[in-house]
């Protein structure tokens, strides 16, 4: 069937026909298969052959035959449902290409016109057997396949032209066409554009590749570590083999030496005992001979006559008495019993014990300090040891260090902690302080050599935010703080979160790597932030500082006490300036170049951010005051508004008459104000290069400067006579001021 399914060579299938499914059937059947089409009529086949032999191409009948052929082919197409098959119809196979006649046999046309021929039973809608045979002949002719063995039966399928997928169902993880989005299967699913899904898939693959690369690096590092451990174990076991061999050789030498010494001592004792026994044996033999001689002499005397007996008896008695007086040693001087020799194997046992004893451990290797391994009062110290060493405990020693040398107060003062693990949390330490650590391993064989000295440092103490010096505006805040540490730290981190957000779902943003105790942070307008600060060093980060609140609804600043004239007093909140009736202050402040000396004035600390800044000043309508802005480098010996670095509004009151002047570089425009303001609004707009004054009571515009300061300017305030000025800041710009 696979061979039958292949497309026959020489046929260029039209585009429309590719949408059909082809079911191949053998129309030129064999005898042993079921007939799909009606059987062939042999008589018709003979007539077809005679007609083919009798026809002459090129005659008048050929045109008629060809015309009738077109009509009959159309009927066949309608009969078998092949209207859309472009292989049928008007195409006639070229004679030169296929090698068959370009016109059908006359017998086919003649037999197709026979309507009175009886149909064979069992074929139903297929028609008579002759009509089916004629259909085969016409089909062969129009396709030029009269000699081919297999044909195709085309069944059209009604399918919509497939559209390209343009969306992606995240739930099913399947590409979809736009028409399928409204179907029931994907109605409630999460759908995303195909390009976005493709980009997300690529990002996920890249992340996985990055994790895989990291895992490969970790595995390579682990394999390298295993190789080092393998080499170390091999070297250690090699050393132990050498130690065993040395110990065994020493034991054998000791045993041989003991053997020689014991054999020699045993031979000397044997010789000494045998010599003593031999001497005693000789002495005993001599005594025995003497006794025998005396016995013989006595017997001889007894056999003599009486006179001779008496003569010899007296001499014999004296001789016998002297012999008997002699002590004869009849006890064995050397006992024959064998004395068990106790061999002293103490030295050998000591040698054997030293072979089986655990050696003292090697010197530990103390690790360098890991990031974030310390708090302000503790530090985690880690070390490692050879894998085959047996350790019962470790002695961790440390001492504080200052400026690269031991602390003077703790010179020679060391602390020791005993642990069983290869790490230790050392507590009760000073914050942001360096300590020297070294470690010694111990077991029953003794201590190891000391490790190298490693320097660890504790984390810093938490900074202290200067809440009274926080300056902010609608888009930024300037935060300053005190370090809280005697020694320098590496950097600071500012953490901020929205106060309105529930605590469980708050997201903390961080600004890292701040080198100084001040930072200008960009914020969103109209929000309330909670600010924290951390200090960082090699050991880690400190705990959070106490929180500080920052509002970005308007500009917030405080009066700068360093610029305040001695005759003025600033309140604790830094928002009120007062001039009393006293001409001289109670305590003269130290002289300073930043302090006003001639003009009784003070400046505020406005955040150095270009944008719009608005504040209001509550004034006494009967007081002489000046409000405005001035550059930071303005000369402190000049009056406000007298120099080109200041833009001010001055008010003087005399004889129930209010006088208002808008001063810059000593000049003022001719402007009159009819309603005396009790609250003055000031709008500084860097983007438009304008400074505007308003009567905040009735939203009246007073005057606008067109100024382009080369540097940042700060609010300035002056009281020429006793009075009080109160500053209201942190408020949003009113609507009437936003038009200027």
């Amino acid at each position: 069937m696979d061979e039958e399914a292949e497309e026959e060579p020489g046929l260029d299938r039209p585009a429309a026909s590719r949408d059909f499914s082809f079911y191949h059937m053998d129309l030129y059947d064999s005898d042993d298969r079921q007939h799909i089409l009606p059987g062939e009529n042999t008589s018709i086949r003979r007539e077809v052959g005679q007609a083919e032999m009798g026809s002459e191409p090129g005659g008048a009948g050929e045109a008629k035959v060809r015309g009738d052929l077109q009509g009959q082919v159309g009927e066949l197409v309608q009969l078998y449902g092949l209207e859309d098959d472009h292989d049928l119809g008007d195409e006639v196979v070229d004679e030169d290409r296929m090698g068959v006649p370009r016109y059908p046999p006359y017998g086919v046309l003649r037999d197709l016109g026979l309507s009175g021929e009886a149909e064979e039973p069992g074929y139903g809608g297929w028609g008579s057997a002759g009509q089916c045979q004629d259909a085969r002949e016409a089909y062969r002719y129009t396709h030029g396949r009269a000699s081919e063995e297999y044909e195709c039966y085309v069944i059209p399928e009604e399918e919509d032209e497939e559209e390209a997928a343009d969306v992606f169902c995240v739930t099913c993880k399947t590409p979809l066409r736009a028409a399928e989005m409204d179907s029931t299967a994907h109605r409630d699913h999460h759908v995303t554009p195909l390009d976005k899904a493709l980009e997300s898939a690529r990002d996920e693959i890249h992340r996985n590749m990055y994790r895989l690369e990291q895992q490969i690096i970790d595995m390579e590092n682990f394999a390298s570590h295993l190789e080092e451990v393998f080499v170390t174990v091999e070297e250690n076991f090699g050393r132990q083999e050498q130690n065993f061999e040395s110990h065994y050789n020493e034991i054998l030498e000791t045993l041989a030496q003991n053997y020689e010494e014991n054999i020699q001592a045993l031979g000397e004792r044997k010789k000494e005992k045998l010599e003593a026994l031999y001497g005693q044996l000789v002495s005993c033999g001599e005594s025995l001979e003497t006794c025998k001689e005396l016995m013989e002499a006595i017997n001889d005397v007894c056999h003599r006559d009486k006179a001779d007996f008496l003569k010899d008896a007296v001499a014999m008695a004296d001789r016998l008495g002297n012999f008997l007086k002699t002590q004869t040693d009849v006890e064995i001087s050397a006992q024959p019993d064998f004395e068990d020799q106790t061999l002293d194997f103490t030295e050998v046992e000591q040698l054997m014990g030293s072979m089986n004893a655990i050696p003292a451990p090697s010197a530990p290797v103390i690790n360098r300090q890991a990031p974030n391994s310390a708090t302000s009062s503790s530090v985690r110290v880690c070390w490692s040891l050879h894998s085959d060493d047996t350790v019962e405990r470790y002695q961790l020693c440390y001492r504080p260090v200052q400026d690269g040398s031991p602390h003077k107060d703790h010179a020679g003062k060391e602390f020791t902690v005993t642990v069983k693990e290869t790490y230790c949390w050392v507590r009760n330490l000073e914050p942001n302080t360096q300590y020297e650590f070294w470690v010694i391993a111990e077991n029953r064989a003794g201590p190891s050599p000391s490790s190298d000295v490693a320097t660890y440092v504790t984390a810093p103490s938490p900074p202290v935010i200067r809440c009274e010096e926080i300056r902010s505006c609608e888009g930024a805040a300037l935060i300053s703080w005190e370090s809280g540490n005697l020694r320098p730290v590496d950097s600071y981190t500012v953490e901020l979160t929205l106060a309105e957000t529930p605590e469980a779902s708050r997201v903390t943003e961080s600004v890292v790597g701040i080198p100084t105790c001040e930072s200008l942070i960009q914020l969103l307008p109209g929000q309330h932030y909670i600010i924290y600060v951390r200090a960082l060093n090699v050991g880690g980060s400190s705990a959070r500082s106490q929180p500080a609140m920052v509002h970005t609804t308007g500009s917030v600043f405080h009066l700068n006490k360093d610029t305040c004239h001695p005759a003025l007093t600033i309140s604790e909140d830094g928002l009120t300036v007062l001039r009393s009736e006293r001409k001289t202050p109670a305590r003269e402040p130290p002289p300073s170049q930043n302090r006003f000396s001639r003009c009784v004035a003070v400046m505020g600390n406005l955040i150095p951010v270009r944008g719009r800044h608005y504040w209001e000043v509550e004034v006494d309508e009967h007081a002489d005051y000046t409000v405005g802005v001035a550059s930071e480098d303005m000369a402190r010996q000049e009056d406000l508004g007298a120099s080109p670095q200041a833009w001010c509004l001055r008010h003087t009151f005399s004889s129930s008459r209010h006088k208002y002047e808008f001063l810059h570089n000593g000049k003022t425009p001719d402007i009159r104000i009819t309603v005396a303001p009790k609250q003055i609004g000031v709008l500084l707009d860097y983007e438009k290069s304008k400074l505007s004054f308003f009567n905040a009571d009735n939203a009246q515009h007073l005057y606008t400067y067109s100024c382009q300061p080369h540097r940042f300017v700060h609010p300035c305030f002056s009281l020429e006579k006793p009075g009080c000025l109160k500053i209201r800041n942190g408020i949003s710009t009113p609507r009437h001021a936003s038009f200027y």
Side-chain angles (χ1 to χ4, degrees):
M1 293 300 293
D2 294 339
E3 295 179 358
E4 296 176 5
E6 294 179 0
E7 192 176 61
E8 297 185 17
L11 292 179
D12 297 328
R13 190 178 302 280
S17 65
R18 296 179 186 137
D19 296 335
F20 299 110
S21 298
F22 294 88
Y23 296 87
H24 302 283
M25 294 178 294
D26 187 3
L27 300 183
Y28 312 99
D29 50 357
S30 59
D31 296 337
D32 57 348
R33 71 172 177 83
Q34 182 181 1
H35 293 281
I36 299 177
L37 294 177
E40 297 182 357
N41 194 325
T42 56
S43 61
I44 295 177
R45 183 177 295 274
R46 288 193 300 270
E47 292 177 1
V48 170
Q50 294 174 1
E52 290 177 351
M53 295 175 59
S55 300
E56 293 291 334
E62 179 180 353
K64 180 181 178 183
V65 169
R66 182 170 299 181
D68 294 338
L69 174 64
Q70 300 295 337
Q72 297 299 328
V73 168
E75 293 179 2
L76 290 172
V77 168
Q78 293 181 359
L79 176 63
Y80 292 99
L82 305 176
E83 292 89 345
D84 295 334
D85 193 345
H86 296 283
D87 289 343
L88 303 178
D90 297 335
E91 281 190 36
V92 178
V93 181
D94 192 8
E95 178 181 357
D96 297 334
R97 182 169 64 89
M98 298 301 297
V100 296
R102 292 183 297 173
Y103 53 89
Y106 177 74
V108 172
L109 300 179
R110 182 194 61 195
D111 292 332
L112 287 175
L114 297 176
S115 58
E117 187 174 351
E119 296 181 358
E120 293 183 14
Y123 291 99
W126 288 96
S128 64
Q131 289 177 340
C132 292
Q133 176 62 28
D134 295 336
R136 292 196 199 99
E137 296 292 337
Y139 187 84
R140 296 171 189 165
Y141 173 76
T142 55
H143 282 269
R145 301 159 80 177
S147 62
E148 295 292 332
E149 184 179 1
Y150 300 107
E151 298 298 339
C152 298
Y153 178 64
V154 182
I155 301 177
E157 295 180 359
E158 295 183 0
E159 294 183 356
D160 296 334
E161 187 175 350
E162 185 176 358
E163 299 179 2
D166 52 1
V167 294
F168 184 79
C169 179
V170 180
T171 306
C172 299
K173 300 185 182 303
T174 306
L176 301 175
R177 297 191 297 271
E180 298 176 351
M181 293 176 57
D182 298 332
S183 63
T184 306
H186 305 281
R187 182 172 300 171
D188 298 331
H189 292 182
H190 176 55
V191 179
T192 185
L194 190 62
D195 295 339
K196 185 176 180 181
L198 179 61
E199 188 67 24
S200 177
R202 288 176 178 173
D203 293 342
E204 182 66 22
I205 292 175
H206 290 164
R207 287 193 296 269
N208 292 335
M209 290 178 62
Y210 175 77
R211 289 198 293 267
L212 183 60
E213 291 175 356
Q214 294 297 322
Q215 188 173 0
I216 291 173
I217 293 174
D218 295 340
M219 292 299 294
E220 290 177 349
N221 294 335
F222 180 69
S224 177
H225 178 67
L226 284 179
E227 291 179 359
E228 294 177 358
V229 173
F230 180 85
V231 173
T232 303
V233 171
E234 187 178 15
E235 292 177 353
N236 291 336
F237 274 98
R239 288 196 300 269
Q240 288 192 4
E241 290 176 0
Q242 295 177 358
N243 292 335
F244 280 144
E245 184 178 358
S246 175
H247 279 82
Y248 274 116
N249 292 334
E250 187 176 358
I251 291 171
L252 292 177
E253 291 177 359
T254 303
L255 288 174
Q257 183 178 358
N258 290 342
Y259 173 78
E260 295 294 336
E261 292 176 355
N262 292 331
I263 290 297
Q264 184 177 359
L266 188 61
E268 291 177 355
R269 294 186 63 186
K270 173 184 176 182
K271 180 180 179 182
E272 180 182 354
K273 184 173 287 191
L274 291 178
E275 288 178 352
L277 291 173
Y278 180 76
Q280 191 175 9
L281 181 62
V282 171
S283 176
C284 184
E286 292 176 352
S287 298
L288 184 60
E289 290 294 332
T290 303
C291 289
K292 287 180 178 181
E293 290 177 359
L294 289 175
M295 289 296 295
E296 290 178 356
I298 292 172
N299 290 329
D300 185 39
V301 172
C302 289
H303 289 86
R304 292 182 182 178
D305 56 3
K306 295 181 180 179
D308 293 334
F309 174 78
L310 290 175
K311 288 182 185 177
D312 294 334
V314 174
M316 184 61 65
D318 293 337
R319 182 180 174 187
L320 184 60
N322 292 332
F323 178 77
L324 293 176
K325 290 180 181 179
T326 304
Q327 294 291 334
T328 303
D329 188 8
V330 294
E331 293 183 0
I332 300 175
S333 60
Q335 296 295 329
D337 296 338
F338 180 76
E339 298 178 0
D340 293 335
Q341 299 294 324
T342 303
L343 299 179
D344 186 8
F345 290 101
T346 305
E347 186 177 359
V348 177
E349 290 176 355
Q350 291 178 354
L351 291 175
M352 293 294 293
S354 63
M355 278 183 50
N356 298 325
I358 298 174
S362 305
V365 179
I366 193 165
N367 301 340
R368 294 183 179 181
Q369 185 172 11
N372 300 320
S373 61
T375 66
S376 58
S377 62
S378 64
V379 65
R380 189 176 191 267
V381 184
C382 300
W383 58 90
S384 59
L385 199 69
H386 291 295
S387 60
D388 57 341
D389 284 344
T390 301
V391 178
E392 296 178 358
R393 57 189 172 274
Y394 298 94
Q395 299 293 334
L396 178 63
C397 307
Y398 64 96
R399 63 189 174 194
V401 175
Q402 184 180 17
D403 299 330
S405 60
H407 199 287
K408 295 180 180 180
D409 298 337
H410 298 275
K413 187 175 182 180
E414 300 177 359
F415 304 91
T416 304
V417 180
T418 302
V419 295
K420 292 187 177 181
E421 296 80 11
T422 56
Y423 67 91
C424 178
W425 274 101
V426 183
R427 308 185 186 277
N428 300 324
L429 304 178
E430 295 294 328
N432 198 30
T433 304
Q434 290 184 341
Y435 288 86
E436 288 182 341
F437 289 90
W438 64 96
V439 64
I440 300 173
E442 294 181 352
N443 60 16
R444 61 185 179 183
S448 72
S450 175
S451 68
D452 295 334
V453 176
T455 301
Y456 282 61
V457 61
T458 53
S461 298
V464 180
I465 300 178
R466 299 173 181 171
C467 298
E468 68 280 359
E469 298 182 8
I470 293 178
R471 293 177 278 171
S472 63
C473 61
E474 292 184 353
L478 183 63
I479 312 297
S480 60
W481 57 86
E482 296 179 357
S483 173
N485 297 273
L486 299 177
R487 302 175 185 84
V489 300
D490 295 342
S491 64
Y492 297 93
T493 297
V494 175
E495 298 178 353
L496 54 138
T497 182
L498 291 174
E500 291 86 355
T501 307
E503 187 173 358
S505 58
R506 285 179 181 173
V507 177
T508 301
E509 300 181 9
S510 300
V511 181
V512 300
I514 303 172
T516 62
C517 293
E518 187 177 73
S519 177
L520 181 63
I521 305 171
Q522 301 297 323
L523 303 174
L524 297 175
Q527 302 292 335
H528 299 277
Y529 289 91
I530 303 176
I531 305 293
Y532 304 92
V533 180
R534 295 178 186 265
L536 288 85
N537 63 9
V538 177
S541 64
S542 68
R544 279 180 168 181
S545 65
Q546 292 296 321
M549 294 295 298
V550 173
H551 307 279
T552 57
T553 53
S555 297
V556 176
F557 64 89
H558 298 84
L559 295 174
N560 189 354
K561 296 181 180 180
D562 296 335
T563 63
C564 183
H565 189 275
L568 298 178
T569 303
I570 299 177
S571 62
E572 293 183 0
D573 60 1
L575 298 176
T576 302
V577 57
L578 176 67
R579 182 173 183 178
S580 61
E581 297 290 344
R582 257 184 331 199
K583 294 184 179 181
T584 58
R587 184 173 59 182
E588 188 72 22
S592 173
Q593 295 181 354
N594 295 328
R595 193 180 303 278
F596 284 97
S597 58
R598 178 180 176 183
C599 179
V600 185
V602 64
M603 295 183 69
N605 278 330
L606 189 64
I607 183 172
V609 174
R610 297 190 178 274
R612 300 204 326 173
H613 303 275
Y614 180 82
W615 64 92
E616 294 179 356
V617 184
E618 184 179 339
V619 300
D620 185 358
E621 58 183 349
H622 300 296
D624 294 348
Y625 58 85
T626 303
V627 297
V629 297
S631 299
E632 189 174 2
D633 58 349
M634 170 191 169
R636 301 298 193 260
Q637 295 80 20
E638 297 180 355
D639 292 335
L640 296 179
S643 66
Q645 287 85 21
W647 296 262
C648 301
L649 165 62
R650 175 189 291 176
H651 169 262
T652 56
F653 178 77
S654 63
S655 303
S656 302
R657 184 172 176 268
H658 299 273
K659 182 181 179 180
Y660 293 92
E661 298 174 290
F662 294 93
L663 298 173
H664 173 64
N665 201 14
K667 300 178 181 180
T668 179
D670 186 11
I671 296 177
R672 296 183 180 182
I673 299 176
T674 57
V675 180
K678 296 182 180 180
Q679 198 155 289
I680 299 174
V682 183
L683 176 63
L684 173 63
D685 194 336
Y686 281 101
E687 296 177 356
K688 296 181 180 180
S689 301
K690 290 183 179 182
L691 176 67
S692 302
F693 294 89
F694 302 90
N695 184 345
D697 298 330
N698 56 9
Q700 179 187 4
H701 174 251
L702 302 179
Y703 185 72
T704 297
Y705 285 104
S706 294
C707 57
Q708 294 182 348
H710 299 288
R711 298 184 179 180
F712 288 105
V713 296
H714 297 278
C716 57
F717 311 90
S718 174
L719 285 170
E720 302 300 331
K721 294 180 181 180
C724 178
L725 296 176
K726 294 183 179 180
I727 303 169
R728 294 182 64 247
N729 57 24
I731 55 178
S732 58
T733 304
R735 186 174 182 181
H736 65 268
S738 60
F739 296 106
Y740 295 92

